[in-house]
Amino acid sequence: MALLPEDIIDRLIQMERRIQALSTAVNTRPPLNEIRPVPAAGAPSTKPVLRTFDNYGHEVFADDVTTGGLARPWLQLLPPVDHLKEAKWPSTTSTAFTPIAQSFNPVWQPKMRLAMYTKASSGAAGQVKVMVDGQQFGPTVNAGQTFDHTGLLPVDMATKFGKVMTVEIHAVVTSASGTVYAQPVSMYGTQS
């Protein structure tokens, strides 16, 4: 008997079965909004593990599987300072804005928070501002006020990501004489 072409009804039934199989497969995949543990050789892990590698196999992001939180990248922390003795703070007697403190930090997040105490010597007045790669970050404050600003970094994230930015504290004496002091107490990157 010669092979006869399938009729349209048989072909529609086959297509319906394939569509049903695809629909079932799509609806049974695990959700993409959570991370589940992957069993290791031997004992399966009970904790989720998150690791991200670059094209060269370097681990660029990792969670801390022992206690939770972030394991990598290591993020800089500001060292403890003596915030009670202004004489030990970075300072200036200049009547023009002058850099009095500087740090170099990698750009990982688009925003930064910087908090610092400022003060002027007895009878003096002045101002303090922050510069990031030569551009002002946040407001200029009068000495004696706390500088506490969270905002977008004045850098191009696409070209600056992972590269070093320069953060400088500039101060100026606006009275006839005296000293202006500034002491950072908190600085960290944050998301936008």
Side-chain angles (χ1 to χ4, degrees), residues 7 12 20 64 70 108 115 134 149 154 164-165:
D7 67 2
L12 286 173
Q20 182 65 33
D64 187 328
L70 186 63
W108 295 116
H149 180 71
V164 174
M165 67 177 166

Side-chain angles (χ1 to χ4, degrees), residues 76-83 103 105 183-187:
Q76 290 181 290
L77 301 173
L78 197 64
V81 295
D82 187 351
H83 71 279
S103 67
N105 302 279
Q183 181 62 62
V185 293
S186 180
M187 186 169 114

Side-chain angles (χ1 to χ4, degrees), residues 53-154:
F53 298 89
D54 66 9
N55 288 335
Y56 301 97
H58 301 125
E59 187 177 74
V60 294
F61 182 85
D63 64 335
D64 187 328
V65 296
T66 304
T67 59
L70 186 63
R72 189 168 282 116
W74 296 351
L75 302 178
Q76 290 181 290
L77 301 173
L78 197 64
V81 295
D82 187 351
H83 71 279
L84 300 175
K85 296 180 184 168
E86 294 87 13
K88 294 183 177 181
W89 295 4
S91 62
T92 187
T93 58
S94 175
T95 55
F97 269 109
T98 305
I100 60 172
Q102 183 181 61
S103 67
F104 302 97
N105 302 279
V107 175
W108 295 116
Q109 289 97 359
K111 281 184 153 180
M112 179 175 73
R113 177 177 184 231
L114 177 68
M116 72 177 145
Y117 298 134
T118 68
K119 190 166 183 160
S121 60
S122 179
Q127 295 180 322
V128 178
K129 66 181 178 179
V130 176
M131 304 295 284
V132 174
D133 282 353
Q135 297 181 58
Q136 187 163 344
F137 173 77
T140 300
V141 298
N142 292 322
Q145 295 178 322
T146 298
F147 178 98
D148 192 349
H149 180 71
T150 302
L152 289 171
L153 291 170

Side-chain angles (χ1 to χ4, degrees), residues 18-67:
R18 288 182 187 149
I19 290 171
Q20 182 65 33
L22 283 171
S23 178
T24 301
V26 167
N27 292 326
T28 58
R29 69 185 172 115
L32 298 176
N33 61 354
E34 63 182 78
I35 299 166
R36 297 181 180 261
V38 176
S45 172
T46 59
K47 296 180 182 178
V49 177
L50 177 62
R51 300 281 187 267
T52 304
F53 298 89
D54 66 9
N55 288 335
Y56 301 97
H58 301 125
E59 187 177 74
V60 294
F61 182 85
D63 64 335
D64 187 328
V65 296
T66 304
T67 59

